[in-house]
């Protein structure tokens, strides 16, 4: 008898590990028919509705499988009730191949979700950053207010101080996420946190890569692990001391321009877009730097992340902002091939390349941009 029980216990871990599908069981007893539940997954950076189920006697059920835990949404739509704005009833969570329970009363947005380890750990992480995030939102709301004429309520000096405070709060959140990743080295959510929040828009590969190497071998070889390796590799392309990766894109006249054609000069590669407010606000600083340094073996290449069909808006922004330097784009928005190659997922950003083609600085901006360039350009 003891041997039999022992044998069963030995098998349990393998039974759990063998689960290759999810079962989502929903209970919303106050939701009356006709109503349906919808399962929406994030695929290729877009939300896609992959399944639906009628809610009968307050119950619904989904079955299927995912390659790895991922972001999902459960939405409920009731017959005759608009599914928009404050009427929308939905709830985000992390789906994984497990038995997941969604229990509520009359709305899925207030339901309790259990059974997904990834979702549970993500909720724990969100609780840790919640106080800091609340402060960030309050600052943004207060100092982003505008008058009827579009001018800011707060003065420039006040907004600059608020900006400094925001940067500190964002850094605090990154540290919280970093510690979470460090304490979840065998967890999907630990690596997910590292990938999403530690490897942020301006991460230093040399500083962050050692932590990635501490994650379990299984996680590092997983699809998420492979994407993280790719992100680190791309990050290395834009770090100071790296050789700038060459590229060719068409200018506003449709003529191909190649970065290496400027070898022998200092080149500021400026990532921006006509639709980007902060970019347009930064352009006067870049113009000032260009005018003071253009005769000193210096050139600027603007890489626009404008979207398909927006060439006219791109050209108009160049004209209106008075940008006399080289401008290129493939008009693919965030999928701009140069931006993807350098891992640019926020703008404005820039890279300063020396005459030998090496990156010597990045993200130089503000009123001090000219002075910083003068210090670096010898």
């Amino acid at each position: 008898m003891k041997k039999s029980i022992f044998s069963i216990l030995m098998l349990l871990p393998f039974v759990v590990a063998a689960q290759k599908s999810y079962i989502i069981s929903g209970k919303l007893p106050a939701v009356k028919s006709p109503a349906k539940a919808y399962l929406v997954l994030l695929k290729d950076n877009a939300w896609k509705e992959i399944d639906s189920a009628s809610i009968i006697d307050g119950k619904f059920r989904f079955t299927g499988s995912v390659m790895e835990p991922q972001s999902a949404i459960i939405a409920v739509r009731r017959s005759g009730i608009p599914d928009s704005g404050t009427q929308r009833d939905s709830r985000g969570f992390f789906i994984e191949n497990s038995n997941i329970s969604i229990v509520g009363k009359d709305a899925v947005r207030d339901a309790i979700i259990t059974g997904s380890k990834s979702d549970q750990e993500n909720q724990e992480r969100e609780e840790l950053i919640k106080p800091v995030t609340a402060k960030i939102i309050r600052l943004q709301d207060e100092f982003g207010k505008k008058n009827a004429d579009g001018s800011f309520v707060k003065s420039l000096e006040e907004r600059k101080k608020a900006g400094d405070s925001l940067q500190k709060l964002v850094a605090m959140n990154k540290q919280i996420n970093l510690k979470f990743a460090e304490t979840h080295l065998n967890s999907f959510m630990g690596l997910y946190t590292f990938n999403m929040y530690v490897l942020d828009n301006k991460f230093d590969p040399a500083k962050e890569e050692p932590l990635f190497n501490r994650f379990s071998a299984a996680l590092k070889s997983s699809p998420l692990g492979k994407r993280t390796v790719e992100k680190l590799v791309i990050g290395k392309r834009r770090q100071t001391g790296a050789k700038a990766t060459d590229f060719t894109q068409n200018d506003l006249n449709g003529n191909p321009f190649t970065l290496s054609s400027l070898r022998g000069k200092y080149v500021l590669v400026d990532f921006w877009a006509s639709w980007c407010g902060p970019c347009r606000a930064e352009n006067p600083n870049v113009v000032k730097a260009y005018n003071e340094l253009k005769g000193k073996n210096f050139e600027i290449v603007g890489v626009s992340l404008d979207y398909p069909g927006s060439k006219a808006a791109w050209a108009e922004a160049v004209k209106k902002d008075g940008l006399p330097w080289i401008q290129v784009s493939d008009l693919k928005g965030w999928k701009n091939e140069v931006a993807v190659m350098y891992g640019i997922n926020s703008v404005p950003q820039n890279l300063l390349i020396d005459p030998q083609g090496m990156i010597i600085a990045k993200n130089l901006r503000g009123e001090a941009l000219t002075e910083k360039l003068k210090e670096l350009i010898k």
Side-chain angles (χ1 to χ4, degrees):
M1 183 68 180
K2 288 182 179 180
K3 182 176 181 180
S4 176
I5 293 174
F6 180 77
S7 299
I8 293 171
L9 290 174
M10 285 294 289
L11 286 171
L12 281 177
F14 297 95
V15 171
V16 173
Q19 182 161 342
K20 300 297 182 182
S21 62
Y22 59 79
I23 300 174
I24 301 175
S25 302
K27 293 182 181 180
L28 300 170
V31 174
K32 306 300 181 184
S33 299
K36 295 187 76 172
Y38 296 83
L39 180 60
V40 186
L41 298 187
L42 185 60
K43 292 188 173 184
D44 300 323
N45 295 317
W47 290 103
K48 296 182 180 179
E49 188 179 291
I50 66 160
D51 205 352
S52 63
S54 295
I55 301 177
I56 301 173
D57 295 330
K59 298 178 182 179
F60 62 88
R61 179 183 172 94
F62 292 111
T63 60
S65 64
V66 289
M67 289 287 292
E68 63 181 356
Q70 64 183 94
S71 295
I73 293 174
I74 287 285
V76 171
R77 297 174 193 161
R78 301 159 177 80
S79 179
I81 298 179
D83 181 45
S84 61
T86 57
Q87 300 295 326
R88 181 171 290 122
D89 183 17
S90 61
R91 168 73 185 276
F93 71 108
F94 272 85
I95 190 173
E96 61 182 32
N97 292 327
S98 63
N99 296 325
I100 301 172
S101 174
I102 300 177
V103 179
K105 185 179 179 182
D106 58 357
V108 73
R109 61 174 168 263
D110 300 320
I112 296 175
I113 298 179
T114 57
S116 168
K117 179 182 178 183
S118 300
D119 188 65
Q120 178 187 338
E121 291 183 343
N122 187 55
Q123 290 182 44
E124 293 169 0
R125 183 194 66 81
E126 288 183 341
E127 282 299 313
L128 293 173
I129 66 170
K130 192 174 181 178
V132 180
T133 302
K135 292 179 181 178
I136 290 173
I137 293 172
R138 282 199 298 271
L139 269 177
Q140 290 175 329
D141 288 346
E142 181 181 357
F143 290 88
K145 289 179 180 177
K146 292 185 177 181
N147 297 306
D149 62 359
S151 62
F152 285 98
V153 173
K154 299 290 185 180
S155 68
L156 178 61
E157 187 63 30
E158 288 175 317
R159 285 185 285 117
K160 282 184 177 180
K161 289 181 179 179
D164 292 339
S165 297
L166 278 173
Q167 288 183 9
K168 291 178 181 178
L169 290 169
V170 169
M172 287 175 64
N173 260 355
K174 181 172 180 176
Q175 280 301 117
I176 293 171
N177 283 316
L178 177 63
K179 289 181 179 179
F180 182 89
E182 288 175 333
T183 56
H184 292 76
L185 297 175
N186 295 309
S187 156
F188 171 87
M189 192 49 60
L191 183 55
Y192 180 88
T193 299
F194 175 77
N195 181 294
M196 288 292 293
Y197 306 113
V198 178
L199 302 188
D200 57 11
N201 297 330
K202 301 166 187 175
F203 74 90
D204 181 348
K207 180 180 177 182
E208 311 300 356
E209 190 170 23
L211 176 55
F212 173 72
N213 293 330
R214 292 170 55 194
F215 282 94
S216 69
L219 280 171
K220 286 189 288 186
S221 62
S222 69
L224 175 60
K226 292 175 182 177
R227 293 197 301 274
T228 305
V229 169
E230 182 180 5
K231 196 169 184 179
L232 286 164
V233 170
I234 290 173
K236 290 177 182 178
R237 290 180 189 154
R238 66 172 186 267
Q239 72 181 127
T240 302
K243 185 177 179 62
T245 304
D246 202 10
F247 62 82
T248 299
Q249 281 198 347
N250 287 351
D251 62 19
L252 276 164
N253 297 317
N255 299 317
F257 163 81
T258 301
L259 177 65
S260 58
S261 66
L262 295 176
R263 187 64 51 82
K265 292 186 176 183
Y266 286 93
V267 181
L268 186 73
V269 180
D270 184 41
F271 295 92
W272 74 294
S274 67
W275 46 259
C276 169
C279 302
R280 304 292 296 274
E282 179 65 16
N283 278 342
N285 296 318
V286 187
V287 170
K288 180 182 177 183
Y290 181 79
N291 288 336
E292 291 201 28
L293 292 162
K294 63 182 179 181
K296 300 180 180 179
N297 205 32
F298 174 71
E299 187 56 83
I300 297 177
V301 177
V303 179
S304 169
L305 274 63
D306 276 275
Y307 287 93
S310 61
K311 185 175 181 179
W314 171 33
E316 177 61 24
V318 170
K319 181 180 179 180
K320 186 174 182 179
D321 292 3
L323 314 180
W325 50 81
I326 300 162
Q327 295 286 343
V328 301
S329 180
D330 57 12
L331 296 175
K332 294 181 180 179
W334 289 113
K335 293 183 180 180
N336 178 292
E337 292 180 7
V338 180
V340 171
M341 181 176 69
Y342 278 105
I344 302 297
N345 50 26
S346 71
V347 285
Q349 288 199 59
N350 57 50
L351 304 171
L352 180 63
I353 302 168
D354 73 6
Q356 289 72 48
M358 306 299 290
I359 297 173
I360 58 173
K362 56 186 179 181
N363 297 321
L364 304 174
R365 64 170 58 97
E367 296 176 0
L369 172 63
T370 305
E371 295 307 313
K372 290 177 182 178
L373 287 172
K374 284 180 178 179
E375 292 174 10
L376 290 164
I377 296 176
K378 306 298 183 183

